[in-house]
Amino acid sequence: MARQRSKERKLDDKELRAIAKPWRRRLSFDDLFTAASLAVFESWGVRVARSLELDKSILKAGMNVHPVIYASKTLMMTTTIAFVVLLASSVALITIPMPFLVRVIVVLISMMIPVMIFSMRLLQPSLKASDRKSGVENELPFFMAYASTMAKGGVSLDKIIERTAGLKVFKAMREECMRVLTYVKLFGYDPVSALERVAILHPSARFRDLMLGYTTTLRSGGDITHYLEIRTQELFNARTSEVRSMTERLASFLELYIVLGVIMSITVFVFFSVSGTLSAVTAGRTTGVISVDITMPSLYNFLVLPTLGMLVLLMIHASQPKTPVKIMEPYVTMLVLMPMSVISFFVTLSILGAMDVFRGVLGLTQVASLLISITVAVLLLTVPPWIVYRKALRGHKGLVRSTADYLRELSEIRKTGLSPEKCIIHLSTKDFRNLTPIVSKAGVALNLGLSLEDSLRKVLRGIREWFVIAIFRFLTDSITVGGGAPDIIDTLARFTQTLSELEEEMRRRLKAYVLLPYFGALMLASSPIIIVNMLITAAGARPEAVAPLIGILGVGSVINSFVMGLVAGKSSEMSISAGFKHAAVMSLVTSITVLGTLAYISGALTI
C-alpha cells in the first residue's frame, strides 16, 4: 500500500510539473537588461521622459513601450557603451605609440560615440513617427479609393477595416486598421470610437483630418459615399501637386550633387594636381627622387565623394513615394557576385602583368591596368543584377494604363446585365496590350470553375507592379463583397485612369534628370588628368613622375561614376536596381575616357 501511495504521489508531482511548465518562461536578455536599467536609472528615466515628452513621441510612433522604460534603457545603453569605449581608447592610448594629432582624434571619437548613441535613441521615436506618417500618406489615396468603392457597394465601416487589415497590398494602412481592430476586440471600443482614437494620436495631419471627418459624417447621418468620393478626388489632386514638388526637390538634390560633387571636386582636384605636381618636380630637382603625397586625394576620392553620393541617394529615396512590393532579386544577385567580382579584379590584374602594383610599383602602365581591372569588376557586379531587374519587370511598362482601359471596358459591358464573371470571360479575348496575358488567363481560370478571387490571385502571381495588384484586389472585393455594380466598377476605372496619368507624369518628369550625373562623371574623369598633364608639360617633366596621383584620380573617377550611376537610376526610375545599368555604362565610359586621356598625354600607351 505504501509503495502504491508513493507511486500515486510521484504521478501527482509529474502532473503538477506538466501543468506548471507552460507558465515557465526563461528571462531573455532584453528582460534582464530592462530590469537592470530600471534598477539603476529609473529616477533619471522619469526625468528624461518628462522633460523630452517621450510619451507623445512614442504614441505617435506607435511603439509599444513605456516612456520611462525606454528612457531608462537609453541611459543604461549609453553608459555601458561609454564605459566600453573609454576603456578601449584608454588601453589604446597607453599601449600604442601615436602622434599627438591621432591621440586627439581618438579622444574626440571616444567622446562622440556615446553622444551619438544617446541622440539616436532619443530620435528613434521621431524617426519612426516620420516613417509611419510617410507610409500612410503614400497609401492613403489608394485606401480611400478602396473604401469609396466598398462603401458604394453598401459595405459597413467595420467590414472595410477588417478587409483592409487582411490585405497584403497595403502595408502602412494595414497596420493602422489592425490598431483599430485591437481597440475594438481587445478594449471593447466601437469601430467609430476606435478609428477616432487611432486618428487623434496619428502623426499624419492628412490622415487625421480624413478619418475624423469620416467619423463626424457617419455620426451626423451624412452621405458617406459622397464624402469618400470627394475626399478621394482631393487626395489624387494633392498627389499630382506632390509629384510636381517632388520632381522640384529631386532637381535641387541633383543640382546640389553636381555643384558639390563635380564643380567643387574639380576645384579641389586642381589644388591637388598643382600641389602634387609642384612638390614632385621640386623634390626631383633637389634630391633626384620624385615622390607624390597622395593621402589627401585618396581620402577625398575614396571617402568624401562616395559618402556625398550616398547621402544624396538617401535624400532622393526619402523624397520618393514607396510601395509595399520590393524587388530584392537584383540585390541578392549583387551580394552573390561580390566575391567573384573581387576575384575577377585580381585575375585581370594578373593577366595584364601588373601585380607589381602591390609592391609599390605604379607607373602609367600599372595605372591603366588598374583601371581596366576595376572596370571589369564593376561590370561583373552591375550587369547581371540589372539583367535580373529587367527580367523581373519585363512587360510592366504601361501596365497601369492598360488596366484603366480594361476596367472602362468592363464597366460598359457590366451595364448590359451580364454577371461580373461573364464580363471578365468575355473580355479575355480582347487585346489590352501587355495586360492581355493576364486577362486571358483570368478568363480561362473562370471557365474552369475557379472562383474570381482564386483566378485573379493565380494570374497576378508574377506581377511586380503594385498599382495593378492593388487595383485588381479592389476589383475582386468590389465584386465579391459589394456586388460589382456598374457604377462601382466605373468609379474604380476613373480612379485607375487618374492613377495612370499621375504615374506617367511622374516618370516623364523624372527622366529629364538622368543626364546630369553623366555630365558630372565625364567632367570628373577627364579634367583632373588633363590639368596634371598641362602642369607636367609646363615643368618639363614626364607623366610617369606623377603616375600615383593620376592613378588615384582615375580609379576614384570610376568608383564615383558607379555611385553617380546609382543616383541616376534612382532619379529616373525610382529604383536603385535601375541604377545598375547606369552604373555599368558610366563606369565603362569613365574608364575609356581616362584611358584615352592617358594615351593622349603619354603619346603611346602599351600594356
Side-chain angles (χ1 to χ4, degrees):
M1 289 294 291
R3 189 176 297 173
Q4 186 176 358
R5 285 177 185 172
S6 176
K7 270 181 143 184
E8 290 176 357
R9 186 172 181 181
K10 287 181 180 178
L11 185 61
D12 292 340
D13 291 341
K14 288 180 181 179
E15 288 178 349
L16 288 173
R17 284 196 298 270
I19 293 171
K21 189 175 181 180
W23 299 96
R24 294 177 186 167
R25 188 174 71 88
R26 290 184 178 179
L27 292 175
S28 64
F29 175 77
D30 186 63
D31 295 332
L32 296 173
F33 189 78
T34 302
S37 303
L38 289 173
V40 179
F41 292 108
E42 184 176 2
S43 59
W44 287 92
V46 172
R47 296 176 188 175
V48 171
R50 187 184 299 130
S51 61
L52 298 178
E53 296 183 345
L54 285 180
D55 53 344
K56 296 180 181 179
S57 301
I58 288 173
L59 283 174
K60 287 184 177 181
M63 299 168 63
N64 299 318
V65 61
H66 196 278
V68 176
I69 294 177
Y70 186 82
S72 302
K73 291 175 70 174
T74 300
L75 292 171
M76 186 71 173
M77 190 180 301
T78 305
T79 306
T80 305
I81 292 175
F83 175 75
V84 172
V85 170
L86 179 62
L87 183 63
S89 59
S90 300
V91 171
L93 290 172
I94 293 172
T95 58
I96 301 174
M98 303 178 188
F100 177 74
L101 181 60
V102 177
R103 289 178 178 272
V104 172
I105 293 174
V106 169
V107 172
L108 290 176
I109 292 175
S110 303
M111 294 171 61
M112 288 300 298
I113 288 176
V115 175
M116 292 176 62
I117 295 296
F118 184 74
S119 302
M120 289 302 297
R121 283 282 297 179
L122 293 182
L123 285 174
Q124 188 178 3
S126 300
L127 295 175
K128 285 196 173 184
S130 178
D131 290 341
R132 184 184 177 192
K133 175 185 175 182
S134 61
V136 165
E137 290 184 351
N138 281 333
E139 297 179 6
L140 194 55
F142 312 105
F143 169 75
M144 291 297 289
Y146 176 72
S148 176
T149 305
M150 298 293 284
K152 204 163 187 177
V155 182
S156 61
L157 169 64
D158 54 344
K159 192 68 175 177
I160 293 175
I161 292 173
E162 286 184 7
R163 298 286 296 188
T164 307
L167 290 180
K168 293 183 179 180
V169 294
F170 290 120
K171 182 180 179 182
M173 288 304 305
R174 185 173 74 243
E175 292 178 358
E176 303 303 329
C177 290
M178 289 174 69
R179 286 190 177 95
V180 175
L181 290 179
T182 301
Y183 282 115
V184 171
K185 296 184 177 180
L186 200 61
F187 299 109
Y189 284 73
D190 62 274
V192 178
S193 301
L195 184 60
E196 278 183 341
R197 182 170 177 81
V198 171
I200 289 172
L201 300 174
H202 205 276
S204 171
R206 185 175 298 174
F207 176 82
R208 185 166 57 249
D209 294 342
L210 281 172
M211 295 301 109
L212 292 179
Y214 177 81
T215 56
T216 302
T217 306
L218 194 64
R219 281 176 170 159
S220 61
D223 190 349
I224 297 297
T225 305
H226 178 70
Y227 172 81
L228 290 174
E229 286 184 347
I230 293 297
R231 298 308 298 268
T232 303
Q233 194 60 45
E234 289 177 359
L235 282 175
F236 276 112
N237 293 336
R239 188 66 175 254
T240 305
S241 302
E242 287 175 2
V243 167
R244 296 191 181 98
S245 62
M246 183 196 70
T247 52
E248 291 173 1
R249 285 197 307 271
L250 181 62
S252 302
F253 292 151
L254 289 176
E255 288 169 2
L256 178 66
Y257 184 38
I258 295 301
V259 169
L260 294 179
V262 178
I263 307 301
M264 188 184 75
S265 296
I266 291 176
T267 305
V268 173
F269 286 155
V270 168
F271 172 75
F272 290 153
S273 303
V274 171
S275 61
T277 305
L278 292 180
S279 63
V281 172
T282 303
R285 288 175 178 174
T286 56
T287 64
V289 179
I290 297 178
S291 62
V292 181
D293 185 12
I294 58 174
T295 304
M296 293 303 295
S298 300
L299 288 175
Y300 188 82
N301 239 348
F302 301 134
L303 181 62
V304 176
L305 274 184
T307 303
L308 177 63
M310 291 300 174
L311 288 176
V312 172
L313 201 62
L314 287 175
M315 288 191 292
I316 294 173
H317 177 74
S319 65
Q320 289 178 339
K322 298 149 187 83
T323 62
V325 176
K326 307 295 181 185
I327 303 176
M328 300 304 296
E329 291 90 338
Y331 306 110
V332 174
T333 306
M334 188 177 186
L335 288 175
V336 171
L337 288 175
M338 276 186 178
M340 298 177 60
S341 176
V342 174
I343 293 172
S344 69
F345 168 76
F346 288 105
V347 170
T348 308
L349 203 62
S350 176
I351 292 173
L352 295 174
M355 292 298 289
D356 52 354
V357 71
F358 296 107
R359 297 194 299 270
V361 179
L362 194 62
L364 290 183
T365 302
Q366 284 78 15
V367 169
S369 301
L370 272 175
L371 286 170
I372 295 173
S373 303
I374 288 177
T375 305
V376 170
V378 169
L379 292 178
L380 182 61
L381 196 63
T382 53
V383 174
W386 175 70
I387 293 173
V388 171
Y389 174 74
R390 297 311 303 170
K391 186 177 179 181
L393 291 183
R394 184 179 299 166
H396 283 60
K397 188 176 181 180
L399 204 56
V400 179
R401 174 173 284 278
S402 300
T403 304
D405 297 339
Y406 174 76
L407 289 177
R408 201 177 299 110
E409 292 279 346
L410 184 65
S411 171
E412 295 298 324
I413 296 179
R414 183 76 176 91
K415 292 175 183 177
T416 62
L418 287 176
S419 66
E421 290 81 3
K422 292 289 185 181
C423 293
I424 293 174
I425 293 173
H426 178 74
L427 289 176
S428 63
T429 58
K430 296 192 68 175
D431 181 27
F432 292 97
R433 298 181 294 279
N434 49 354
L435 190 68
T436 303
I438 297 174
V439 297
S440 60
K441 290 177 183 177
V444 171
L446 288 173
N447 271 325
L448 292 175
L450 294 177
S451 66
L452 177 63
E453 188 159 352
D454 291 338
S455 301
L456 292 179
R457 186 186 299 116
K458 289 181 180 297
V459 300
L460 293 172
R461 188 165 294 168
I463 301 299
R464 300 297 186 91
E465 182 65 67
W466 179 76
F467 297 145
V468 175
I469 297 173
I471 293 301
F472 275 100
R473 178 72 259 180
F474 299 168
L475 175 64
T476 303
D477 283 358
S478 67
I479 293 173
T480 57
V481 181
D487 55 341
I488 296 176
I489 300 177
D490 186 63
T491 302
L492 189 59
R494 194 166 61 250
F495 289 147
T496 309
Q497 182 65 34
T498 306
L499 176 64
S500 171
E501 294 172 356
L502 191 63
E503 182 196 25
E504 288 183 358
E505 181 180 0
M506 181 169 59
R507 294 189 182 278
R508 185 174 60 252
R509 285 174 173 268
L510 291 177
K511 282 187 178 296
Y513 301 110
V514 72
L515 294 178
L516 285 177
Y518 277 90
F519 167 76
L522 290 176
M523 290 288 290
L524 282 180
S526 57
S527 300
I529 300 176
I530 292 175
I531 293 169
V532 171
N533 174 58
M534 293 172 62
L535 292 170
I536 286 291
T537 305
R542 297 178 62 251
E544 292 281 349
V546 288
L549 180 61
I550 294 175
I552 292 298
L553 296 176
V555 173
S557 298
V558 175
I559 293 175
N560 289 302
S561 296
F562 172 81
V563 178
M564 286 182 178
L566 299 182
V567 172
K570 185 65 176 174
S571 304
S572 61
E573 300 183 44
M574 297 189 298
S575 173
I576 296 178
S577 299
F580 292 146
K581 170 184 67 176
H582 299 287
V585 173
M586 291 173 70
S587 299
L588 182 61
V589 170
T590 300
S591 181
I592 292 173
T593 304
V594 175
L595 288 173
T597 308
L598 280 177
Y600 172 75
I601 66 176
S602 61
L605 181 64
T606 58
I607 298 176

